[in-house]
């Protein structure tokens, strides 16, 4: 095993190959998380609502609400039931579930009913492989590598769930926030002092902007998930990288919003999820944040 790690440390090609194989496989799992986690959360909320109504309103005019209000997704989990074609219910067999390859071999269609399979699936697998490769090459064989990979994979799921549903699940952001604080004890990316201030500053900065924006416009421009996501980056990377993350995310988000307005694909009133831009900006800072800060300080003559 030690020899194997030794080889990996020296042979970039071997590390890169493993990164791509691991990346597409994790991407395949992320597709499941992105599709199912929001449905699972919704089913839980529905069940909680039914229970609450039963307890608080026994004399409900239409009778107490029953379980039929809970969606059929309530038995859904990340591991069961097995994947099926959403059009015909055809059970996806193991050889039809190989990342990217199966999509290409099947010509992007269900083997049973020939319905088109979303291009999203192979794209997420390819993206995950690409980002996994970038992280592996950036950090090499180090303690930072497994941590950075976990964060990268979580960010892919968060960004796409937020894009689809305007939702950043607590079940992903909060454990990662704690993990970031824990890693800081071992100085993996930053020290505990910077991580603690980062977590608090990350949350409070966006929370303050949110409250001011609501005071001025009466609208809610962000969600609480965005505050938690930035708190998470603060915990992982330290407060020093928060300004560049917010700046990059804001510029990218605003540019994208303007682009949508110009091309007429977005109505002004429609909210744009901020999470995907925060996730991209935070990921860039994870890999190159210190270099970006150093370059900025040099350009501005501060060091
Ligand atoms: Zn089908």
């Amino acid at each position: 095993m030690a020899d194997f790690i030794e080889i990996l440390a020296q042979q970039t090609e071997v590390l890169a190959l493993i990164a791509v194989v691991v990346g597409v496989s994790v991407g395949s799992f992320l597709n499941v998380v992105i599709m199912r986690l929001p449905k699972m959360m919704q089913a839980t909320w529905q069940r909680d609502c039914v229970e609450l109504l039963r307890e608080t309103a026994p004399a409900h005019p239409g009778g107490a609400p029953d379980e039929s209000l809970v969606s059929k997704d309530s038995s859904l989990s990340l591991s069961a039931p097995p994947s099926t074609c959403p059009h015909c219910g055809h059970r996806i067999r193991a050889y039809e579930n190989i990342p990217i390859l199966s999509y290409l071999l099947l010509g992007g269609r269900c083997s049973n009913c020939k319905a088109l399979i979303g291009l999203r699936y192979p794209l997420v697998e390819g993206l995950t492989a690409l980002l996994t490769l970038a992280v592996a090459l950036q950090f090499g064989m180090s303690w930072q590598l497994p941590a950075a990979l976990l964060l990268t994979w979580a960010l892919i799921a968060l960004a796409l769930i937020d894009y689809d549903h305007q939702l950043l699940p607590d079940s992903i952001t909060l454990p990662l926030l704690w993990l970031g604080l824990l890693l800081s004890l071992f100085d993996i990316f930053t020290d505990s002092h910077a991580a603690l201030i980062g977590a608090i500053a990350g949350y409070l900065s966006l929370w303050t902007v949110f409250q001011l924006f609501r005071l001025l416009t009466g609208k809610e421009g962000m969600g609480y998930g965005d505050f938690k996501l930035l708190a998470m980056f603060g915990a992982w990377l330290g407060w020093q990288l928060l300004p560049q993350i917010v700046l990059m995310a804001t510029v990218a988000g605003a540019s994208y919003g303007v682009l949508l307005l110009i091309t007429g694909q977005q109505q002004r009133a429609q909210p744009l999820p901020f999470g995907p831009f925060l996730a991209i900006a935070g990921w860039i800072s994870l890999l190159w944040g210190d270099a970006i800060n150093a370059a900025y300080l040099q350009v501005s003559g501060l060091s």
Side-chain angles (χ1 to χ4, degrees), residues 2 69 81 93 231:
L69 288 173
R93 284 168 293 222

Side-chain angles (χ1 to χ4, degrees), residues 60-76:
H60 198 262
D66 61 41
E67 293 292 327
S68 68
L69 288 173
V70 179
S71 99
K72 59 182 179 350
D73 293 326
S74 63
S75 60
L76 197 67

